[in-house]
Amino acid sequence: MTLSVDAVPDQDRKGPGRPRSARVDEAIVEAVFELLSSGQSADAISIEAVAAKAGVGKATIYRRWPNKEALLIDAVLAMKGPMPELKGESVRGDLITLIAAMRNKRMAQYGKVTACLMPELFKSSEMSRVYQGVVEPRRELMRGVLRRGIASGELRADLDVELALLVLSGPTLAQNMLRWNPNVPDEGFAENLVDFVLRGAHA
């Protein structure tokens, strides 16, 4: 499906200081998602193909992103959505909120897209570095929850925080991208995973 935005004026063409069209931005990023979901690798996707899919000119894309790598990183940010808000009432509750945010309908939809982006991260050290910068704030949010639990005595004092991050995030990513174990139900996934991990982490 071509995501034509011809009916939406490209506001950044109207002179300096004018805001660019958010709808055009969304259409371009959505075009990237559709190309990746169709089976194309990130390496094979071209700016020309994205422009054709989005119904815009190449110049419109280059006014927004200096190169394809920058566009792909913004696509990753768009997939992840806003940072979840934590209540801070309990370690369990906040961890469930964080895992549930990774397992929402948005991430289920984009799991295949993420899998298509993985080879690009392995091949390009720059892409890998930038991707780490994208996900690090979310890791730090989870670190804060775990450290708070250690300080309050809810969690073991000798808990390996970095390993706990991996144990909590790894299964979530595997299910999102690969549906690695279809015998694990989606319903209650966040609660079941957090409770499973916390049984070994409790003080």
Side-chain angles (χ1 to χ4, degrees):
M1 177 181 69
T2 298
L3 304 170
S4 177
V5 292
D6 290 339
V8 182
D10 188 0
Q11 295 178 20
D12 65 3
R13 292 180 180 172
K14 296 182 179 179
R18 296 300 298 271
R20 73 192 202 186
S21 170
R23 288 184 62 187
V24 172
D25 290 5
E26 292 169 5
I28 293 169
V29 170
E30 189 63 31
V32 174
F33 294 154
E34 289 205 7
L35 289 169
L36 288 169
S37 296
S38 71
Q40 292 195 41
S41 68
D43 187 51
I45 289 176
S46 65
I47 291 294
E48 289 80 2
V50 175
K53 177 68 72 172
V56 301
K58 287 194 299 181
T60 298
I61 295 178
Y62 281 119
R63 275 195 294 271
R64 291 159 163 79
W65 294 277
N67 50 48
K68 185 179 74 173
E69 287 71 21
L71 173 56
L72 290 174
I73 289 301
D74 268 9
V76 173
L77 284 168
M79 283 192 297
K80 291 188 175 298
M83 296 274 278
E85 294 185 9
L86 304 180
K87 294 183 178 179
E89 297 173 354
S90 71
V91 169
R92 179 181 183 271
D94 284 348
L95 290 178
I96 289 173
T97 297
L98 290 169
I99 298 301
M102 297 171 67
R103 287 287 293 165
N104 60 22
K105 291 182 179 179
R106 169 191 292 270
M107 295 313 297
Q109 176 186 357
Y110 293 136
K112 185 176 180 181
V113 175
T114 305
C116 292
L117 281 170
M118 287 297 117
E120 194 83 1
L121 300 179
F122 283 111
K123 288 187 296 183
S124 169
S125 58
E126 177 65 13
M127 278 285 290
S128 179
R129 183 189 66 78
V130 177
Y131 178 78
Q132 291 298 324
V134 169
V135 299
E136 179 59 23
R138 295 168 187 273
R139 283 196 294 252
E140 186 59 27
L141 196 59
M142 189 177 289
R143 282 190 194 100
V145 173
L146 296 171
R147 289 167 179 158
R148 191 182 79 227
I150 293 172
S152 68
E154 291 179 74
L155 303 179
R156 293 165 41 182
D158 64 346
L159 178 69
D160 186 325
V161 171
E162 296 304 315
L163 189 57
L165 287 176
L166 182 60
V167 171
L168 285 163
S169 302
T172 309
L173 293 172
Q175 289 296 92
N176 281 351
M177 290 191 293
L178 305 173
R179 187 68 176 156
W180 191 83
N181 188 346
N183 296 319
V184 175
D186 289 331
E187 185 176 355
F189 178 89
E191 292 84 352
N192 291 334
L193 176 62
V194 169
D195 287 341
F196 182 84
V197 173
L198 287 182
R199 277 196 288 272
H202 270 309

